Amino acid sequence: MLRHATVAPARAWYTWSPRPAEMVFLPLGVRLTPVGFAASTGKATLFPSGPGVRFGRHAADAARTELTLTHAGTTLEWVYDKDGPFAVAGSWTAPVLGEWGLRFWINLCLSAEGGEPVRFDAASGAAVVKVGHRFVALASREEPSQVTGHDAVEGVVEDYETHGYFYLGARATEARTLALRFNLEQMRENRFALAVADREDLAVAQAKALAAAPAKPAPAPAHEGRFAGALDAIRDVMAWNTVWDEVNDRPYTSISRNWNLGKFGGFGVWLDDQQYNGLLTTLFDHSLAADNIAAWLASATPQGNLACLLTANDAWVDRTQIPVGAFITWLTYARSGSRATLEATYDTLARNHRWWWENRDPERLGLVSYGTSDVGEGLYKGSHFGARNESSMDNSPIHDEAVYDTATRTLTTIDVGLNSLLALDAEMLARFAEVLGRDDEAAEFAAIAEGLRTRIRDTLWDETRGLFANRIRGGGFVRSVGPTSFYPLTAGAASEAQVEKLLAHLTNPETFGGPFAIPGTARSDPAAKDNTYWRGRIWPPLNFFTWTGLHRYGRHVEATRLAEKSYALFDAAWRERRLCPENYNAETGEPLDQPDTEGFYSWGALMPLMAVAEVMDVSPWSGWTVVNDGAPVRLGPVQSPAGAVTLSIADGVMTLERNGRLLLRTAARGRFTRLSFGDGDIRVTLPEDLAEGARLTFGAIKVADVVAATVGGAPVEVTADADGVGVGPLPATAAGKTVRLVLAADSARSAV
């Protein structure tokens, strides 16, 4: 009997539970729950998310999972290592003791969610639970001091806190939950294992053998050299925040596992957050990205919008959030190549886009405002604050001058960030429709995007201040500005003259310059001193969309500088404290200087995402891009349009490999764009600043395989290299042109 039959075997054993240290075999609902007890305080703990848990490394499939657990001054280094899909080993070491080890107890508690009895066999030293026709065995390298029985893991806590650790009355060999008890005087280090099999003796033997085996070495970092650790950080944050939604019976990546139960009652889907999570998880696991897409798709309302927020407690269906879904989903599609992603999301995203025009442009100006419709029963419905929720920048001073118009149910300001993102949304939907062969809709959305770009450029540009700003409908510009003033870059709406004036604000200490970037409120604005949520603080999404716009306009130097500042800010909190903050103080860079910031928030990973993308990225405008700036780096494996690849730069030579096979090698410097390694057709667009004499090697093919080779459409000779085919040396005039190799049909699939 399978309790959850939709999870792939690779993720069957996983940290699905709200309790981070708990390992769950989801198909059977079997749990291994660590419980700690400190006699010094008389308190036991299930190690919930919070100050007592420091999140370590976490593979996307939980092949390796590391935590630091702290209770009453005692520190445990806790590690899980999987041995295939059906077995997992665990271990602990106690580098710091808060009291005599005899008085600090570690308990390995085995249970099944269906209440099946767990038995302990003294002869084998293993605990076993049978669920349906399967057996799960738990064995320890060290023999437990005693085994006790309880109705649930909470009963273990109650037993310790009521009776202490000398009590023998709970001893048992069968119960709904069995606790194998160890103390740190006798077992300061230990290794244990769980195994699943279709016969009890097999499960026990496998668990015992794995518990007795040496621990696996720690895996190598996924990102070394330039921006070291950025890819690892994204992986760890996404993996730790991926949990099982027990309310809706599904996997998804939560906003923060710290909020899942306490704040939202079991699950919480903020629309934009869930869309970001789809993008961030597709770097490692396309199936998990699909789970996150499914989570936000489920928020579609009969009215046409995607709901702003759905939790176990509330539903904000009267609002949506900023329209970034088509852009983020396009990036997910571009990395995975899954047409099914577009097919699954297009109609819903198109309805959501049209909903904006029907419900948020009351005067038919061709520019929209935030609002709250008269549907649902959500908190703040029909209020000024509810309308501001759509922006996600709830208390930002850019909304201070807005009035909530009860007749139209909208704010009276035209928001530059919203309209820019809506233009981007239409542009991406045109791309969706084109791929799907819906030509009329592609033309419709392309026209919407172009018209909106023009209105943004003409209506929302404040020449006096040299930037884009929100505007009161029928009136002037609002005083307060934020990084959304840069969003017309992301939409492609700014003229070149506007760009020059706009970018001056990135270095102006009165607006958005300074050592920490980018403040959510202009530094000269009195509201910046509030340092409360969106008033003054630095927010990862604001940086991400500004950075996107800079690259779109070819302002790569400025974009790289912003990525460097963003990653330095993130890394200062991550490297020592393993924090992935929701936001940061704009003056000091400290994330936890006020009580409103969540310290392990999924969209915080947008900061290291920019750093990863400075090495390798996929965008709608330049395609798959890799950068060789000569600095040493090793990045990967990471998902790309060609599958999981690894990029490295050593001694100035850039190498791109897939499964150890060479795709591309070159010593040429610069940004290589529009990479494509399709069947029988290889393409790479050369850097705009290509130096004389550049040479590229394409691996795993022979000269005889090449039917045609061109640079910028002109024929070029290829030569044999030791591990592939070489093109070049090329003249500097080849800069910006595309190298293309067409391969013979018989060799195409084997080559790439």
Side-chain angles (χ1 to χ4, degrees):
M1 178 179 65
L2 296 179
R3 304 196 184 282
H4 304 291
T6 59
V7 175
R11 286 198 290 151
W13 281 116
Y14 199 86
T15 52
W16 294 113
S17 163
R19 294 186 281 261
E22 188 171 81
M23 184 59 70
V24 182
F25 189 77
L26 196 62
L28 301 180
V30 172
R31 300 168 182 263
L32 185 282
T33 310
V35 176
F37 172 72
S40 61
T41 62
K43 295 295 183 182
T45 179
L46 295 167
F47 298 107
S49 292
V53 176
R54 181 178 184 270
F55 299 114
R57 287 182 288 191
H58 195 315
D61 61 355
R64 174 85 173 197
T65 307
E66 301 173 354
L67 310 87
T68 301
L69 307 176
T70 303
H71 180 57
T74 292
T75 298
L76 300 166
E77 297 297 342
W78 200 273
V79 178
Y80 290 112
D81 277 305
K82 287 167 68 171
D83 188 48
F86 293 100
V88 61
S91 65
W92 75 75
T93 60
V96 178
L97 294 180
E99 59 200 278
W100 183 20
L102 187 71
R103 295 176 178 172
F104 193 102
W105 288 74
I106 291 295
N107 305 265
L108 300 177
C109 303
L110 186 64
S111 63
E113 67 180 54
E116 290 85 350
V118 186
R119 295 176 289 102
F120 183 77
D121 177 48
S124 67
V128 179
V129 59
K130 183 183 181 185
V131 181
H133 65 279
R134 291 228 155 108
F135 297 85
V136 182
L138 165 65
S140 170
R141 185 184 65 194
E142 301 291 338
E143 183 179 346
S145 295
Q146 67 169 328
V147 178
T148 59
H150 312 269
D151 285 337
V153 291
E154 290 79 6
V156 182
V157 172
E158 182 182 4
D159 184 65
Y160 271 112
E161 294 184 351
T162 302
H163 301 112
Y165 66 91
F166 267 111
Y167 182 63
L168 305 181
R171 280 181 171 175
T173 57
E174 183 173 313
R176 291 163 62 96
T177 299
L178 282 185
L180 280 59
R181 300 190 176 199
F182 308 84
N183 67 72
L184 295 185
E185 172 70 14
Q186 296 176 290
M187 303 93 173
R188 190 161 179 172
E189 299 181 359
N190 192 19
R191 181 172 164 85
F192 57 91
L194 300 109
V196 183
D198 287 331
R199 209 172 70 207
E200 180 173 354
D201 61 324
L202 289 177
V204 170
Q206 290 169 11
K208 292 185 68 175
L210 190 55
K216 292 182 179 180
H223 192 164
E224 299 176 287
R226 187 180 182 218
F227 297 117
L231 182 62
D232 302 82
I234 299 169
R235 175 202 65 210
D236 294 343
V237 173
M238 290 297 102
W240 275 120
N241 278 341
T242 295
V243 294
W244 186 257
D245 173 1
E246 295 184 355
V247 177
N248 298 293
D249 204 35
R250 64 184 177 184
Y252 83 123
T253 305
S254 62
I255 303 161
S256 171
R257 66 159 51 236
N258 297 336
W259 286 7
N260 226 40
L261 282 179
K263 188 168 184 174
F264 293 136
F267 83 98
V269 174
W270 283 106
L271 174 59
D272 293 341
D273 299 69
Q274 212 60 51
Q275 291 167 341
Y276 300 142
N277 290 351
L279 170 62
L280 290 160
T281 52
T282 203
L283 270 67
F284 309 97
D285 186 338
H286 294 321
S287 66
L288 181 53
D291 291 338
N292 285 308
I293 290 172
W296 64 256
L297 276 174
S299 75
T301 73
Q303 296 73 245
N305 64 304
L306 290 157
C308 177
L309 172 67
L310 294 178
T311 76
N313 303 322
D314 201 357
W316 293 1
V317 296
D318 57 295
R319 287 149 275 173
T320 186
Q321 276 197 307
I322 53 175
V324 300
F327 173 62
I328 297 297
T329 304
W330 179 267
L331 296 180
T332 304
Y333 156 74
R335 195 174 289 271
S336 68
S338 171
R339 180 186 172 94
T341 298
L342 303 188
E343 293 172 337
T345 58
Y346 173 74
D347 286 328
T348 299
L349 288 168
R351 288 179 72 233
N352 186 72
H353 184 94
R354 294 187 175 103
W355 176 93
W356 278 101
W357 295 110
E358 294 166 3
N359 294 272
R360 298 294 188 260
D361 182 17
E363 298 177 10
R364 298 299 178 252
L365 300 174
L367 293 163
V368 299
S369 303
Y370 291 118
T372 162
S373 303
D374 191 14
V375 293
E377 302 172 344
L379 190 64
Y380 315 126
K381 171 193 165 184
S383 69
H384 191 285
F385 187 72
R388 282 159 28 203
N389 290 152
E390 283 195 327
S391 72
S392 74
M393 302 169 64
D394 312 288
N395 71 329
S396 171
I398 66 174
H399 302 310
D400 285 357
E401 296 176 59
V403 174
Y404 177 64
D405 181 353
T406 57
T408 66
R409 305 187 70 90
T410 62
L411 298 181
T412 55
T413 48
I414 300 167
D415 191 278
V416 66
L418 167 58
N419 283 278
S420 297
L421 293 175
L422 196 62
L424 178 64
D425 194 63
E427 179 185 351
M428 294 300 108
L429 286 170
R431 290 175 179 255
F432 277 49
E434 184 178 1
V435 172
L436 297 175
R438 299 165 76 156
D439 297 341
D440 290 346
E441 291 169 75
E444 173 198 357
F445 283 117
I448 291 172
E450 184 55 35
L452 188 47
R453 283 193 288 261
T454 299
R455 289 188 289 277
I456 292 167
R457 185 164 54 246
D458 295 343
T459 306
L460 300 181
W461 174 256
D462 183 351
E463 182 63 30
T464 302
R465 289 184 286 179
L467 47 67
F468 292 93
N470 292 2
R471 191 164 194 163
I472 297 171
R473 286 200 299 265
F477 293 101
V478 304
R479 179 182 55 80
S480 290
V481 292
T484 51
S485 291
F486 298 104
Y487 283 21
L489 298 175
T490 314
S495 70
E496 284 300 325
Q498 290 169 339
V499 171
E500 293 302 326
K501 294 180 180 180
L502 184 60
L503 293 194
H505 289 281
L506 278 177
T507 55
N508 184 345
E510 292 296 308
T511 48
F512 300 105
F516 301 107
I518 305 171
T521 305
R523 294 190 186 278
S524 58
D525 191 322
K529 302 302 181 185
D530 293 351
N531 187 40
T532 302
Y533 233 56
W534 294 93
R535 303 178 79 83
R537 297 180 70 79
I538 293 168
W539 290 81
L542 300 179
N543 284 24
F544 173 73
F545 284 110
T546 301
W547 169 88
T548 298
L550 291 170
H551 272 308
R552 178 172 189 171
Y553 271 78
R555 301 303 179 115
H556 303 306
V557 172
E558 293 89 344
T560 299
R561 187 178 301 124
L562 176 55
E564 290 169 345
K565 283 188 171 185
S566 299
Y567 187 58
L569 186 62
F570 171 85
D571 197 45
W574 176 258
R575 191 166 297 274
E576 296 299 325
R577 292 187 282 172
R578 299 289 287 189
L579 295 175
C580 180
E582 185 183 10
N583 54 62
Y584 303 82
N585 184 300
E587 298 297 329
T588 67
E590 169 59 34
L592 301 184
D593 58 304
Q594 45 81 44
D596 300 311
T597 297
E598 164 56 35
F600 207 80
Y601 199 91
S602 286
W603 78 17
L606 292 171
M607 300 292 246
L609 177 65
M610 289 181 276
V612 169
E614 287 294 320
V615 179
M616 183 170 72
D617 192 23
V618 181
S619 91
W621 307 289
S622 57
W624 182 12
T625 299
V626 294
V627 179
N628 182 8
D629 68 352
V633 71
R634 184 187 180 281
L635 178 76
V638 60
Q639 292 294 332
S640 77
V645 299
T646 299
L647 183 142
S648 60
I649 300 172
D651 300 323
V653 177
M654 179 178 70
T655 302
L656 184 66
E657 297 178 308
R658 182 178 61 198
N659 297 325
R661 297 182 66 184
L662 179 67
L663 293 176
L664 173 67
R665 178 182 295 128
T666 184
R669 302 287 177 88
R671 300 176 63 81
F672 295 81
T673 61
R674 298 178 179 84
L675 274 68
S676 176
F677 296 89
D679 286 346
D681 195 348
I682 299 173
R683 304 185 193 207
V684 177
T685 298
L686 299 167
E688 296 288 346
D689 53 352
L690 187 74
E692 187 79 20
R695 180 176 177 83
L696 285 69
T697 296
F698 298 93
I701 57 176
K702 302 174 182 177
V703 172
D705 298 331
V706 180
V707 174
T710 58
V711 176
V716 65
E717 289 189 12
V718 297
T719 57
D721 277 4
D723 47 7
V725 165
V727 176
L730 298 171
T733 54
K737 296 180 180 178
T738 298
V739 176
R740 183 182 183 190
L741 302 183
V742 179
L743 307 181
D746 291 343
S747 62
R749 291 191 179 276
S750 62
V752 296

